[in-house]
Amino acid sequence: VTASPEAARVLDLEQVEDTVFLGRTPPGPRTQIYGGQVVAQALVAAGRTVPADRDVHSLHSYFLKLGDPSQPIRFEVDRLRDGGSFTTRHVTASQGGAVIFEQSSSYQRPEAGWSHQLPQRGDVPTPADLPTAAEQVATFDPVTQAWWHLVHTMFPLEVRFCDEPVRARVLRGERPEPRQRFYIRFTDPLGGSALDHACALAFLSDLFLLSTTVLPHGLLVGETVSISSLDHAVWFHAPFRADEWLLYDMEGSWAGGARGLSQGHVFDAAGTLVATTVQEGLLRRPRPPRA
Amino acid sequence: VTASPEAARVLDLEQVEDTVFLGRTPPGPRTQIYGGQVVAQALVAAGRTVPADRDVHSLHSYFLKLGDPSQPIRFEVDRLRDGGSFTTRHVTASQGGAVIFEQSSSYQRPEAGWSHQLPQRGDVPTPADLPTAAEQVATFDPVTQAWWHLVHTMFPLEVRFCDEPVRARVLRGERPEPRQRFYIRFTDPLGGSALDHACALAFLSDLFLLSTTVLPHGLLVGETVSISSLDHAVWFHAPFRADEWLLYDMEGSWAGGARGLSQGHVFDAAGTLVATTVQEGLLRRPRPPRA
């Protein structure tokens, strides 16, 4: 199971003007654009307009329209603030003149201060303790196996679940607590800048996040529930590499009104909290296939 | 201790053009504008351009420059999306031509769906079980009493802490866990629309939120640490009244790099989760007073 070379280049944008960039969706079977791709590509575009001595510490995004994976996405950056300590950018992503997405992101000149973090939730095995993705997938039912192969083909990512994948439990008729945790990393080595790794984390941070909040309802994403992202926020706390194992611990804290909210905490191998994520999504019954 | 009549009118904006509104800061001793005021006024401005059949379900804001409390704030609304189910607005707040704040907010036509929420954390007394604000303040040290009176004079809000106020514990030299919870409501009756109450919650949601994350460091806001908001996000989950008691439960999950992150959960009297908040702020040593 290997991601396509195009998938590995998803964070390369083409610069067409001073503050305008084009992003592309790797070819694949999806009819929608994966949300994490747009979140990450917008951050790549914004980051290219920010002085190198400032690190991204947060982003807030809204998804406005479904994008077309066959068309390029135009990212236009607005320089909202260039301050003494902070830089802020606003990005609109559009296709065919229609805005499909918007994101603000903030960058800080490094500064020292007080520090603490809440501890990880419970004991966690190390990645070396866990079966590889290939070993894990061999134990799945055929439907989950097909889904798993699709995920690993479309995304240049490697995942190892810490516990039995919740999807397998839902398929057995269980209604799990809205929590899951797994290790994740980019398969191939990434560039050396903090921004490269932040953009890579923005990309992977959308994976499985919203699906956590449908677990107590015994729903299967794409089969008994259709999910689309409404917003996506990331706070970056500490330096990390996204091509080394990161623990992503998720909780789907709420659902109602056809929406659901999930939070995630990303830790490095030493247990340092490197990012916090929050996402709200639309949860609907899938449309019946056309006759 | 009574809020000024101006404080009670802080959510009244003057409309100057179709999508442009002016907000004012109530007179008072502060040299900065309270962040929750700008978050709420921006939501008032955006909400006035949204069809009445749609309810706000989220907002994401960035604070860009310190505002001047003596000058009006100009809120300009951009109609980002008017879709079949969702409406999205972007607001920039400016003073003297300089953008000091930006906010995106999203609105949904009510829709049914699956629902769950995580439970409240631990046992909570009811507001009737707790001493009134006047009774609580009488037990405080003089410094905390003065601060408490200032809060209640500046804001048209009433607060009852569920536990001993953490500020009093810090003054005794303790380093509390980064958590606090209190009941809060607007003192005077608010208008009847869901938007009125959402704007009121946006206003109060900034109170004490960031100060939660400095507790483990034994810091006192305004004395040994100076705090300014960097961003502010609110997700609205269910209908509520902000002039009835709401339980606000906060956790300061992280601090580092001169920044700190706090999350809040707002419950109504029946224990229904009505909103989730997240805020990041800048945490610096206060500047010494000028000679």
Side-chain angles (χ1 to χ4, degrees):
Chain A
V1 185
T2 309
S4 68
E6 290 82 4
R9 288 196 299 268
V10 68
L11 300 183
D12 284 345
L13 299 192
E14 178 193 346
Q15 183 159 14
V16 292
E17 289 172 41
D18 185 32
T19 56
V20 180
F21 303 83
L22 286 186
R24 287 169 207 282
T25 303
R30 287 177 70 111
T31 56
Q32 294 180 19
I33 303 175
Y34 164 64
Q37 174 192 320
V38 190
V39 173
Q41 288 179 334
L43 189 61
V44 171
R48 289 215 193 147
T49 72
V50 175
D53 67 343
R54 287 160 189 236
D55 294 326
V56 61
H57 65 91
S58 69
L59 65 84
H60 293 264
S61 321
Y62 273 109
F63 294 88
L64 302 172
K65 273 182 198 288
L66 283 182
D68 177 351
S70 71
Q71 297 300 317
I73 309 170
R74 180 187 164 93
F75 294 92
E76 191 156 352
V77 183
D78 181 19
R79 300 173 187 268
L80 267 188
R81 167 174 60 175
D82 283 288
S85 302
F86 287 89
T87 297
T88 315
R89 296 292 181 257
H90 185 255
V91 178
T92 52
S94 56
Q95 288 188 313
V99 176
I100 63 166
F101 173 90
E102 61 117 23
Q103 178 184 89
S104 295
S105 52
S106 181
Y107 306 77
Q108 182 192 25
R109 211 175 48 186
E111 197 173 325
W114 301 278
S115 67
H116 76 270
Q117 71 175 61
L118 294 184
Q120 285 183 189
R121 176 166 57 82
D123 285 335
V124 189
T126 69
D129 295 335
L130 294 167
T132 64
E135 288 163 351
Q136 286 192 338
V137 73
T139 69
F140 292 174
D141 65 279
V143 174
T144 302
Q145 280 193 5
W147 159 84
W148 183 256
H149 275 92
L150 185 64
V151 165
H152 279 79
T153 311
M154 284 189 331
F155 300 121
L157 298 171
E158 191 180 351
V159 174
R160 288 187 194 181
F161 282 99
C162 299
D163 314 289
E164 185 187 11
V166 285
R167 188 182 162 91
R169 294 178 54 196
V170 170
L171 271 169
R172 284 205 304 273
E174 294 182 33
R175 292 170 171 257
E177 289 288 297
R179 296 200 176 88
Q180 61 180 324
R181 52 187 193 169
F182 51 83
Y183 285 98
I184 189 166
R185 66 178 176 191
F186 271 68
T187 316
D188 294 320
L190 295 166
S193 80
L195 182 64
D196 290 335
H197 291 271
C199 293
L201 190 145
F203 182 91
L204 67 83
S205 69
D206 193 25
L207 202 65
F208 308 138
L209 186 54
L210 270 180
S211 56
T212 312
T213 206
V214 302
L215 296 175
H217 309 287
L219 297 168
L220 289 171
V221 174
E223 291 165 54
T224 53
V225 63
S226 154
I227 285 188
S228 22
S229 304
L230 292 168
D231 62 10
H232 191 87
V234 182
W235 291 264
F236 300 93
H237 303 314
F240 61 90
R241 292 195 64 94
D243 49 8
E244 295 179 356
W245 287 118
L246 297 169
L247 176 70
Y248 200 173
D249 191 339
M250 305 175 163
E251 186 170 67
S253 56
W254 174 84
R259 308 187 311 279
L261 191 73
S262 291
Q263 287 92 37
H265 292 99
V266 183
F267 299 89
D268 69 11
T272 300
L273 181 68
V274 300
T276 298
T277 62
V278 182
Q279 182 170 47
E280 190 172 35
L282 183 62
L283 316 177
R284 282 179 173 163
R285 294 192 188 281
R287 291 189 189 165
R290 291 192 190 174
Chain B
V1 184
T2 309
S4 68
E6 290 84 3
R9 287 196 300 268
V10 69
L11 300 183
D12 283 345
L13 300 193
E14 177 192 346
Q15 184 160 14
V16 291
E17 290 171 41
D18 186 32
T19 55
V20 180
F21 302 83
L22 287 186
R24 287 169 207 281
T25 304
R30 284 176 70 114
T31 55
Q32 295 179 19
I33 304 175
Y34 163 63
Q37 173 191 319
V38 190
V39 173
Q41 288 179 333
L43 188 61
V44 171
R48 289 215 191 146
T49 72
V50 175
D53 67 343
R54 290 166 187 230
D55 295 327
V56 62
H57 66 91
S58 69
L59 65 83
H60 292 264
S61 322
Y62 273 109
F63 295 87
L64 302 173
K65 274 182 198 285
L66 283 182
D68 176 351
S70 70
Q71 298 300 317
I73 309 170
R74 179 187 165 93
F75 295 92
E76 190 156 354
V77 183
D78 181 19
R79 300 173 188 267
L80 266 189
R81 166 175 62 174
D82 282 287
S85 302
F86 287 89
T87 297
T88 316
R89 295 292 182 256
H90 185 254
V91 178
T92 51
S94 56
Q95 287 188 315
V99 175
I100 63 166
F101 173 90
E102 61 115 23
Q103 178 184 91
S104 295
S105 52
S106 182
Y107 306 76
Q108 183 192 26
R109 212 176 49 188
E111 196 173 326
W114 301 277
S115 67
H116 75 270
Q117 69 173 64
L118 294 185
Q120 284 183 188
R121 178 165 57 79
D123 285 336
V124 189
T126 70
D129 295 336
L130 293 167
T132 64
E135 288 163 352
Q136 287 193 337
V137 72
T139 69
F140 292 174
D141 64 280
V143 175
T144 302
Q145 281 193 5
W147 160 84
W148 183 254
H149 276 90
L150 184 64
V151 165
H152 279 78
T153 311
M154 283 190 329
F155 300 120
L157 298 171
E158 192 180 352
V159 174
R160 288 188 193 178
F161 282 98
C162 299
D163 314 289
E164 185 186 9
V166 284
R167 187 183 163 90
R169 294 179 54 197
V170 171
L171 271 168
R172 283 205 306 273
E174 293 183 33
R175 291 169 173 256
E177 288 288 296
R179 296 199 176 87
Q180 61 181 324
R181 51 188 195 170
F182 51 84
Y183 285 98
I184 188 165
R185 65 178 177 192
F186 271 68
T187 317
D188 294 319
L190 295 166
S193 80
L195 183 65
D196 290 335
H197 291 271
C199 293
L201 189 146
F203 182 91
L204 67 83
S205 69
D206 193 27
L207 203 65
F208 307 139
L209 186 54
L210 269 180
S211 57
T212 311
T213 206
V214 303
L215 297 175
H217 309 286
L219 298 168
L220 289 170
V221 175
E223 292 165 54
T224 53
V225 62
S226 155
I227 285 188
S228 24
S229 304
L230 292 168
D231 63 11
H232 192 86
V234 182
W235 292 264
F236 300 94
H237 303 313
F240 61 91
R241 291 196 63 95
D243 50 7
E244 295 179 357
W245 287 119
L246 296 170
L247 176 69
Y248 200 174
D249 191 339
M250 305 174 164
E251 185 169 70
S253 56
W254 174 84
R259 308 186 311 279
L261 191 74
S262 290
Q263 287 91 39
H265 291 99
V266 183
F267 300 89
D268 69 11
T272 300
L273 180 69
V274 300
T276 298
T277 62
V278 182
Q279 182 170 48
E280 190 172 37
L282 183 62
L283 316 177
R284 282 179 172 162
R285 296 192 186 282
R287 291 191 189 163
R290 292 193 188 171

